[in-house]
Amino acid sequence: MCAPSRRSALGGAAGRQGPWNQAALPARSASPASGRRRRSRSTGGVYPAPAARERGWGGPPGPGYNPPTMRAARFSQIFVPTLKEAPADAQVASHRLLVRAGFIRQLGAGIYDYLPLAKRTLARVEAIVREEMDAVGGQEFELPALHPAEIWKESGRWTVMGDNMFRLKDRKGGDYCLGMTHEEIFTAIARAELRSYRQLPQVWYQIQTKFRDEPRPKSGLLRVRQFTMKDAYSFDLDAAGLDRSYEDQRVAYERIFTRCGLDFVAVQAHSGAMGGSASQEFMVRTDAGEDDVAACPRCRYAANAETARSKGPLAPLRPGPALDVPRRFPTPGVRTIEALAKPPHGRPAAMQLKTLVYMGDEKPVLAVVRGDDELNEAKLQTACGAAVLRPARPEEIRPLLGADPGSLGAVAFSAAPVYVDESLRGAAGMVTGANQDDVHLEGVDVARDLLWHAAVADLRSVRAGEGCPRCDGTLDLFKALEVGHIFKLGTKYSESMKASVLAADGKEVPLVMGSYGIGVERIMAAAIELHHDADGIVWPMAIAPYQATVLTLGQEPELRAAAEEVLGQLERAGVDTLYDDRDERAGVKFKDADLLGIPIRVAVGRKGLAGGTVEWKRRGTKEVQLVPLGEVGAKARALVEAETRRP
RNA sequence: CGGGGAGUGGCUCAGCCUGGUAGAGCACUUGGUUCGGGACCAAGGGGUCGCAGGUUCAAAUCCUGUCUCCCCGACCA
């Protein structure tokens, strides 16, 4: 931040004595002809700058970088490779615009170069994250990305992570991996160093590069194989402590996303490979996202579709006649629910039981849902407790059940665990496969024929329009992008890795842990998905690479001089500024300014200058205001302060 | 992994079917005219046509293999 003494230099007086003053011109400018293609030099005098800064480099942001930097960057000198056309393979807005505006370039599938503009925005996001982590007592670490296999084997995740983990060998043949997340590593530190309940709680975090061998990288920065994550871990003595740490993080997350200009919802989530009892995801509503969220507009209920519940299917069950015992009937050639619903069979989907076979940790499990419902794999995974779940292959199904998919059923089948959706609890008169090709059963009574060996669980996917499980509202379903995820891990890792402390009563107890992640690049990309228009990005002030941009509309010396005056004011006001000093036509500068999305645009042109004004425009609005030259600094300062203030 | 598509100057693409001189627009360089919403004229520079084999007198083009990237389905910040 700028020094208080310099801030106080702000004010009306400064504006009237700048180098835009006519008398100063001849001495301060090169002749138009020779100055045309020359790098603009600082006019010196009023605001001398170190030589390095004069070349226009704002200075590299990095660890400890604390924007805003002083001294405007010069567009003619900095590396901002903008493009008129987007690469053909960019599908989503954030990807297109990040490439076009010169923020990123692709190195490989799901691997991106972050160019200087991106680095500036990412540094701002990180600064906000850091501030909010520190505010809840977080302590920053930086741990290795390269991990020996042993530590992942201890927790069991060397296997669980499967192909998602990048693995490599060292020269001696030892197994290593690139870190996907750091529960194991932080837990190892806690295990080695934490001895007493008196040292708790601890909240540790880092902002660090993660590697995940995503099966399908896509959508620019939304789904990549190398990315920056803020990951935090809390260590408490007991569940109550974890509740407090978790709540601290939840509040910090809300502040972080709000400050970064994101509209988001916190939703109930599926814990997946992370394990643990409870978790919430922070979701940004956008069609570029890959998650489905069910939310009730009436109450605050919101959940990832993987866990969302509802009052149940909208269409009522349509039972057929009840029978004392299921009866076989021939269904030649019938392989699908639809085929069985049509003549000559005419068993509507809502009368059928759909039976699916999965492999949970390579052991078969059966799931039964209503014919017109969809199985939610995440729910099945929760129900059966498997670490890895996949659909069974036909060649695995036939030996087990004696039929191919299309005629499968769970009646009297107990060779593998069977889970039945709870909506079917009282269903009778149902139709299902007979585990013999071309034969089905009718008159199936779920309670009588299935539940003696099967378990009831929530398995079906909710649909838009179904009743909210908490109130009388109806559920909305929309696409969303996950930008953060917080987990109550409990003792999963501390037990497997034996990380414990002595409690007040002298007993050894495992640490109770939480883990909390934020995708830094995803925040940047999500902000663009939310804030852009046909012309380019519309950055929220708090994470814009520059807060203001100054354009000269022409090469006249008086325009340059006036621009220098404005830049001086902005510098003294602590506003991070990009000066478009290029010898380009006005249209080019306007287009680039719109594309880059810098919040404040100050255009210095002949027209305005004749009246002692410059043109002030907020990116994302239409209105252009004429502002007296001397007031730009104060006006920008006020806006920047208002829009970057901590809530 | 399954299915679909694409690799030709920095970017967007044509040429391939029907083998014979590698093209356009944008970008870049030089000169000139322009100059308030991606200017115009002229002259230039820049491409092992992803890679490797094969067929042929001759391959960007046909054949085989391979690599890479993108999109659609199963995972996650």
Side-chain angles (χ1 to χ4, degrees):
Chain A
M1 297 301 274
C2 70
S5 59
R6 304 196 75 192
R7 248 181 239 178
S8 62
L10 235 192
R16 288 291 153 196
Q17 39 186 251
W20 60 279
N21 189 316
Q22 301 285 333
L25 283 177
R28 291 177 185 278
S29 320
S31 73
S34 64
R36 250 196 108 190
R37 287 214 155 61
R38 176 156 316 148
R39 295 173 181 177
S40 23
R41 295 272 152 197
S42 166
T43 53
V46 191
Y47 16 85
R53 289 302 168 85
E54 201 166 311
R55 281 187 282 116
W57 299 93
Y65 168 78
N66 189 17
T69 52
M70 297 293 94
R71 200 68 198 172
R74 287 171 188 267
F75 207 134
S76 62
Q77 299 306 121
I78 62 174
F79 182 61
V80 182
T82 61
L83 258 28
K84 281 190 185 174
E85 284 175 291
D89 52 22
Q91 308 284 318
V92 301
S94 59
H95 186 196
R96 253 189 335 261
L97 292 172
L98 283 167
V99 172
R100 277 196 61 209
F103 282 68
I104 62 170
R105 288 293 185 264
Q106 183 173 31
L107 182 61
I111 312 174
Y112 286 86
D113 307 320
Y114 306 146
L115 309 185
L117 286 183
K119 184 60 193 166
R120 293 183 68 91
T121 286
L122 293 172
R124 286 195 202 277
V125 172
E126 289 173 15
I128 290 170
V129 168
R130 222 169 243 126
E131 237 181 277
E132 297 300 340
M133 283 296 112
D134 292 348
V136 293
Q139 304 163 76
E140 187 168 6
F141 284 56
E142 177 150 347
L143 303 188
L146 180 65
H147 304 167
E150 283 65 34
I151 194 160
W152 285 85
K153 287 177 178 164
E154 273 190 63
S155 70
R157 291 207 295 180
W158 179 257
T159 331
V160 172
M161 289 309 192
D163 289 338
N164 273 350
M165 188 146 73
F166 278 105
R167 294 159 204 263
L168 59 160
K169 286 189 188 293
D170 71 2
R171 59 172 70 206
K172 289 182 285 192
D175 285 320
Y176 287 79
C177 65
L178 298 178
M180 307 175 59
T181 172
H182 280 68
E183 278 78 12
E184 281 80 356
I185 321 298
F186 272 104
T187 304
I189 297 173
R191 165 178 66 188
E193 313 296 340
L194 296 179
R195 295 275 97 98
S196 159
Y197 74 97
R198 293 174 194 274
Q199 293 170 291
L200 303 181
Q202 290 290 324
V203 179
W204 297 348
Y205 77 97
Q206 60 174 346
I207 298 175
Q208 194 250 16
T209 303
K210 298 285 188 278
F211 298 87
R212 296 185 184 177
D213 193 359
E214 288 288 339
R216 193 153 95 75
K218 58 178 287 199
S219 305
L221 295 189
L222 295 186
R223 188 184 190 77
V224 293
R225 298 196 292 174
Q226 172 176 345
F227 61 99
T228 312
M229 181 161 104
K230 184 290 298 178
D231 47 322
Y233 306 85
S234 63
F235 300 90
D236 280 281
L237 181 64
D238 52 26
L242 171 59
D243 289 347
R244 283 189 296 273
S245 295
Y246 183 89
E247 176 63 12
D248 281 350
Q249 290 286 326
R250 197 186 60 72
V251 170
Y253 274 42
E254 291 188 346
R255 300 178 80 106
I256 289 166
F257 299 125
T258 302
R259 290 180 66 183
C260 290
L262 302 182
D263 289 325
F264 63 93
V265 275
V267 311
Q268 189 186 94
H270 176 65
S271 296
M274 211 62 88
S277 58
S279 84
Q280 279 174 290
E281 289 165 321
F282 290 79
M283 295 286 205
V284 171
R285 183 173 184 162
T286 161
D287 284 338
E290 299 183 273
D291 281 289
D292 292 299
V293 168
C296 173
R298 172 123 27 131
C299 65
R300 295 295 300 246
Y301 180 77
N304 191 308
E306 290 178 337
T307 63
R309 305 177 68 97
S310 74
K311 288 217 165 77
L314 285 180
L317 197 70
R318 293 182 54 186
L323 302 172
D324 289 340
V325 60
R327 181 165 66 210
R328 295 158 61 90
F329 66 102
T331 52
V334 170
R335 289 283 173 278
T336 62
I337 303 281
E338 299 80 63
L340 195 54
K342 282 185 192 145
H345 308 293
R347 268 45 171 229
M351 187 193 293
Q352 301 184 42
L353 299 178
K354 189 192 286 186
T355 307
L356 301 122
V357 187
Y358 277 77
M359 300 300 277
D361 296 333
E362 296 305 303
K363 289 195 291 277
V365 288
L366 268 63
V368 180
V369 297
R370 218 170 82 179
D372 55 347
D373 273 336
E374 245 174 74
L375 172 72
N376 186 318
E377 293 186 8
K379 288 182 176 180
L380 177 60
Q381 185 178 9
T382 305
C384 70
V388 180
L389 187 75
R390 65 167 174 85
R393 291 183 279 266
E395 64 270 24
E396 291 167 328
I397 293 174
R398 195 164 181 87
L400 183 70
L401 287 159
D404 287 327
S407 296
L408 303 181
V411 172
F413 176 84
S414 52
V418 177
Y419 297 90
V420 177
D421 185 65
E422 59 190 6
S423 68
L424 295 169
R425 202 186 290 269
M430 303 297 284
V431 171
T432 189
N435 287 336
Q436 180 183 341
D437 288 342
D438 303 324
V439 180
H440 280 75
L441 295 176
E442 61 186 338
V444 174
D445 182 322
V446 169
R448 180 192 66 198
D449 302 324
L450 285 171
L451 293 189
W452 59 271
H453 64 276
V456 170
D458 172 33
L459 295 179
R460 65 183 292 275
S461 293
V462 303
R463 291 206 167 91
E466 291 177 357
C468 172
R470 292 212 193 135
C471 73
D472 290 335
T474 53
L475 293 178
D476 218 5
L477 223 59
F478 53 83
K479 287 273 175 211
L481 173 69
E482 180 184 5
V483 289
H485 200 158
I486 59 180
F487 298 87
K488 286 187 186 177
L489 297 175
T491 56
K492 173 177 161 140
Y493 296 89
S494 52
E495 279 179 359
S496 62
M497 297 181 64
K498 302 189 172 44
S500 58
V501 293
L502 288 186
D505 59 6
K507 289 208 181 93
E508 187 167 333
V509 295
L511 291 164
V512 182
M513 294 174 54
S515 124
Y516 318 93
I518 285 182
V520 175
E521 292 89 344
R522 273 195 184 174
I523 290 184
M524 174 167 79
I528 298 174
E529 293 296 338
L530 255 27
H531 308 292
H532 71 274
D533 60 22
D535 296 317
I537 304 170
V538 184
W539 285 113
M541 183 70 80
I543 61 171
Y546 294 95
Q547 295 160 333
T549 181
V550 175
L551 280 49
T552 48
L553 304 180
Q555 294 304 309
E556 291 84 345
E558 57 270 32
L559 297 185
R560 288 187 168 276
E564 295 282 353
E565 159 58 20
V566 168
L567 292 170
Q569 285 181 36
L570 291 169
E571 178 187 341
R572 289 189 293 274
V575 175
D576 222 350
T577 306
L578 173 62
Y579 174 29
D580 194 345
D581 61 333
R582 293 174 302 169
D583 181 13
E584 288 286 359
R585 302 162 65 87
V588 172
K589 295 191 181 187
F590 286 138
K591 288 290 184 189
D592 272 341
D594 286 346
L595 183 58
L596 300 199
I598 304 198
I600 299 170
R601 187 189 81 189
V602 178
V604 181
R606 274 183 305 279
K607 291 180 200 162
L609 209 53
T613 62
V614 294
E615 291 164 30
W616 170 284
K617 182 171 173 294
R618 209 44 232 276
R619 179 68 180 96
T621 68
K622 291 264 186 260
E623 312 84 67
V624 175
Q625 298 175 43
L626 292 178
V627 174
L629 193 51
E631 293 173 15
V632 172
K635 189 172 167 69
R637 172 91 209 162
L639 192 64
V640 169
E641 277 188 349
E643 297 192 7
T644 56
R645 194 174 296 132
R646 192 164 174 253

